[in-house]
Amino acid sequence: CRICEEKFNSRRLRKAGGVYFILGEHRDRFDQLVAAVEGASRTEVYSYVVTLDSSTIDGQRNVRSLITGIANDVQSKLKVIHERLEAHNTSDSPMGVRAITQQRLEAATIHRGLKEYEDALGLAMPQIHAAISSVEDDLVQADAALGKGLFSS
């Protein structure tokens, strides 16, 4: 659900989609969206409140599932950016400044979204941050190269 990802910083819990996690602070706005979608179509949305209390077995499972979902989601988004960068670096028609800036904004959004989940879960995910930072560094280099006219005709 692209809208859920953009508006509510949701995380896919299944690679194929269909199951998303949304932090509680976004619940009221999400419920409004669900009411509008269900009112305008035959789509049914099921939502459940789950605990992330790591002192219970269910809570531990939920946290593990969420962390796996976050890692997969971030990896999928970074793969798209990385593929665009690869195409940029090997193409006769590389991305322009605007496209690179858009990719940098996307990477920054991924970073902010991860931080929101870390704060909510009370844990750090340094490996995921490192992967995002690596892509951000590559984007900075691509941006700098364009600024120096390395890709101009």
Side-chain angles (χ1 to χ4, degrees), residues 13 60-73 121 123-125 128:
L13 297 181
Q60 291 170 10
R61 288 180 182 140
N62 292 339
V63 169
R64 273 196 319 270
S65 177
L66 179 55
I67 291 170
T68 299
I70 291 169
N72 290 338
D73 190 44
L121 296 170
L123 54 87
M125 298 180 228
I128 299 173

Side-chain angles (χ1 to χ4, degrees), residues 40-148:
S41 68
R42 294 177 189 237
T43 302
E44 291 184 37
V45 178
Y46 302 96
S47 72
Y48 305 94
V49 176
V50 296
T51 180
L52 295 177
D53 179 0
S54 59
S55 67
T56 68
I57 297 296
D58 284 342
Q60 291 170 10
R61 288 180 182 140
N62 292 339
V63 169
R64 273 196 319 270
S65 177
L66 179 55
I67 291 170
T68 299
I70 291 169
N72 290 338
D73 190 44
V74 168
Q75 181 180 24
S76 173
K77 290 175 179 177
L78 291 180
K79 181 180 178 189
V80 170
I81 295 172
H82 181 73
E83 288 170 353
R84 289 178 181 151
L85 265 173
E86 283 295 313
H88 167 79
N89 291 331
T90 59
S91 174
D92 291 336
S93 56
M95 288 187 284
V97 173
R98 182 182 291 172
I100 289 176
T101 300
Q102 183 60 40
Q103 296 307 300
R104 289 180 72 180
L105 289 171
E106 177 68 20
T109 299
I110 294 167
H111 231 149
R112 278 193 310 278
L114 177 62
K115 181 71 174 130
E116 183 179 3
Y117 275 90
E118 286 179 320
D119 291 346
L121 296 170
L123 54 87
M125 298 180 228
Q127 291 138 334
I128 299 173
H129 276 290
I132 299 168
S133 293
S134 176
V135 168
E136 287 175 322
D137 291 345
D138 291 345
L139 287 164
V140 167
Q141 289 176 5
D143 198 16
L146 275 179
K148 293 176 185 171

